[in-house]
Amino acid sequence: MKVPFNKPFFAGNELTYISRAVKSGKISGDGVFTKKCHTYFEKHYGFKKVLLTPSCTAALEMAAILIEAREGDEVIMPSYTFVSTANAFVLRGAKIVFCDSNQVHPNIDASKIESLITPNTKAIVVVHYAGMACDMAAVMALANKFKLFVIEDAAQAINGFYKDKPLGSFGHLAAFSFHETKNINAGEGGMLVINDEQFIERSEVIREKGTNRSRFFRGEISQYQWVDIGSSYLPSDITAAYLFAQLEKLQKIQAKRLIIWNRYYEAFLKLEKLQMVKLPVIPNDSTNNAHIFYLVCVSREERNALITYLKSRGVLAVFHYLCLHQSPYFNDQNGLAFPNAEKYSERLVRLPLFYELKSSEQACVIEAVLEFYKSK
Ligand SMILES: *Cc1c(COP(=O)(O)O)cnc(C)c1O
């Protein structure tokens, strides 16, 4: 049996909606389906304002422009994250200050943030790894105390909650991803959430190439002009049509993913009891949106051997981020060491988890993992 790592979800109505978008005669940005998606998110999660973007990367870039990150500014973020979290701020000339992960979870260790804050710190970027919440109470308290912006990289965090409030609603700004590897997808796609009202008007301008075109289309002004810097940060309505078909099935997707996640968890409890692996720990006050199921192995060698063994059994399991502080581009000259982030880089492995994963396929993954550990 061959079990892929991921298979993008297909809701069924995508092509119908795309065809409707095409027939409407307007397939550029902010068409009918973009508005439907915006309404969905504002209604279901109470986000003050959302804007679909071509990717989470684009939404993060908009966030960096909105907070006016520039040379001389420092931005604190976890080292254990995707490159886009950092790139967005590097593009503005800001300096990245990396922080370690928690010992029991890949999320940023909030207790280590304060010691990294300097007079130049402008923002804290948190990443809700595996859709599980960072310690937002601690992060927001620091942000208030030191007057910093908070940006949530909520790429993986759709339908995740912290203390019953949706992830993406805590920071001044938040960015979601609808890349095909995420719980709901549009192939490529993303969204900026604007929780701080001061950014709402400018976010529309930046997204429309630095023009006030959005206000013009609402009839608020008689012509649109170049008023600020900006870029093209709006997706075509074809993307939005695809996404909307997925949004209609969101609860169904989530329920199924959670069943799969829980089955893995229960199957591997015995390995954890024998101290052969560590299972994911859901942080305090966080829900689990079942974006990723991972195991943390005892060593890099054993993790790599497990991946190789699973591959020999037809199962594709994959590791995740390489620490950004150890990347060639960052080119650290200060001997930075983040033991927890490095542990997750070296020892974490993700197992197949997608809507269409069949019960028999999951059984095959579980059996292969247990088989591997039998020989230990
Ligand atoms: C997927 C992901 C991104 C990038 O999302 P795109 O939509 O592909 O730009 C950024 N950050 C994190 C944490 C991600 O998981």
Side-chain angles (χ1 to χ4, degrees):
M1 195 181 281
K2 283 249 180 286
V3 187
F5 172 67
N6 181 49
K7 200 170 159 192
F9 177 73
F10 188 71
N13 272 336
E14 285 88 345
L15 297 177
T16 311
Y17 291 170
I18 286 174
S19 136
R20 213 179 283 168
V22 172
K23 285 178 189 148
S24 81
K26 185 183 186 303
I27 49 170
S28 59
D30 282 337
V32 174
F33 283 97
T34 303
K35 294 203 172 88
K36 277 181 186 289
C37 291
H38 287 175
T39 305
Y40 180 95
F41 283 108
E42 288 165 4
K43 255 205 183 139
H44 282 74
Y45 298 108
F47 297 140
K48 198 156 280 168
K49 168 91 179 166
V50 304
L51 292 170
L52 290 194
T53 58
S55 63
C56 177
T57 302
L60 289 165
E61 288 178 21
M62 287 180 71
I65 295 173
L66 284 166
I67 66 158
E68 299 188 335
R70 57 166 72 101
E71 207 173 324
D73 290 337
E74 295 174 3
V75 179
I76 297 170
M77 65 179 65
S79 173
Y80 192 73
T81 183
F82 189 58
V83 286
S84 295
T85 321
N87 258 334
F89 298 90
V90 170
L91 282 167
R92 312 308 314 160
K95 181 183 161 197
I96 306 300
V97 176
F98 287 120
C99 185
D100 203 359
S101 298
N102 287 297
Q103 205 209 327
V104 297
H105 196 280
N107 280 345
I108 192 165
D109 182 347
S111 72
K112 296 213 175 86
I113 294 175
E114 185 159 358
S115 65
L116 301 172
I117 294 174
T118 74
N120 295 327
T121 306
K122 181 159 248 174
I124 303 168
V125 185
V126 297
V127 180
H128 304 298
Y129 185 78
M132 294 178 190
C134 295
D135 183 349
M136 292 315 291
V139 171
M140 296 316 292
L142 283 173
N144 287 333
K145 182 171 167 193
F146 294 96
K147 305 270 174 287
L148 306 174
F149 291 115
V150 173
I151 293 147
E152 296 175 74
D153 180 339
Q156 306 173 5
I158 181 100
N159 208 50
F161 294 81
Y162 173 81
K163 294 188 176 173
D164 300 326
K165 255 189 85 183
L167 297 181
S169 68
F170 291 88
H172 300 81
L173 298 158
F176 284 87
S177 174
F178 308 118
H179 184 262
E180 73 167 25
T181 51
K182 307 303 201 263
N183 288 20
I184 61 160
N185 83 92
E188 301 277 354
M191 178 171 74
L192 179 70
V193 177
I194 304 115
N195 296 312
D196 183 341
E197 275 176 28
Q198 66 163 313
F199 293 128
I200 290 180
E201 190 172 331
R202 192 160 180 242
S203 64
E204 289 185 332
V205 169
I206 287 164
R207 183 162 165 267
E208 275 282 19
K209 304 97 186 164
T211 72
N212 49 11
R213 193 162 182 243
S214 299
R215 292 191 63 196
F216 172 69
F217 276 119
R218 285 197 296 266
E220 295 168 11
I221 45 177
S222 60
Q223 56 187 1
Y224 74 87
Q225 288 180 301
W226 185 16
V227 293
D228 200 338
I229 60 166
S231 189
S232 181
Y233 287 128
L234 69 174
S236 122
D237 216 46
I238 293 177
T239 297
Y242 194 100
L243 183 67
F244 189 68
Q246 303 246 324
L247 286 178
E248 290 184 323
K249 299 278 169 69
L250 180 69
Q251 296 311 329
K252 198 174 150 194
I253 301 170
Q254 291 304 108
K256 178 80 182 288
R257 292 186 74 104
L258 203 57
I259 288 170
I260 297 171
W261 197 99
N262 286 331
R263 184 174 174 202
Y264 275 139
Y265 190 89
E266 277 162 29
F268 300 134
L269 269 173
K270 50 191 163 200
L271 293 182
E272 188 170 60
K273 286 212 181 86
L274 295 166
Q275 301 191 340
M276 291 175 133
V277 296
K278 283 252 190 292
L279 293 173
V281 174
I282 302 171
N284 288 339
D285 304 310
S286 173
T287 57
N288 173 21
N289 78 346
H291 176 56
I292 296 175
F293 186 87
Y294 63 86
L295 297 171
V296 182
C297 301
V298 297
S299 68
R300 179 204 294 263
E301 293 68 33
E302 193 160 297
R303 190 270 312 263
N304 293 347
L306 174 60
I307 291 175
T308 306
Y309 177 76
L310 292 176
K311 202 168 176 194
S312 77
R313 303 263 310 232
V315 173
L316 207 63
V318 294
F319 54 87
H320 212 178
Y321 303 127
L322 300 173
C323 286
L324 294 184
H325 73 279
Q326 296 173 323
S327 61
Y329 180 77
F330 187 70
N331 191 21
D332 170 39
Q333 304 291 320
N334 302 312
L336 290 175
F338 298 125
N340 296 328
E342 288 162 28
K343 172 179 78 181
Y344 294 113
S345 257
E346 291 167 6
R347 303 198 223 150
L348 183 146
V349 55
R350 295 176 292 159
L351 299 181
L353 171 50
F354 50 91
Y355 185 87
E356 281 181 56
L357 184 69
K358 291 192 197 86
S359 178
S360 57
E361 291 173 321
Q362 190 180 14
C364 161
V365 178
I366 292 170
E367 192 193 299
V369 172
L370 295 178
E371 199 65 36
F372 174 80
Y373 279 103
K374 233 181 232 165
S375 60
K376 296 284 144 189

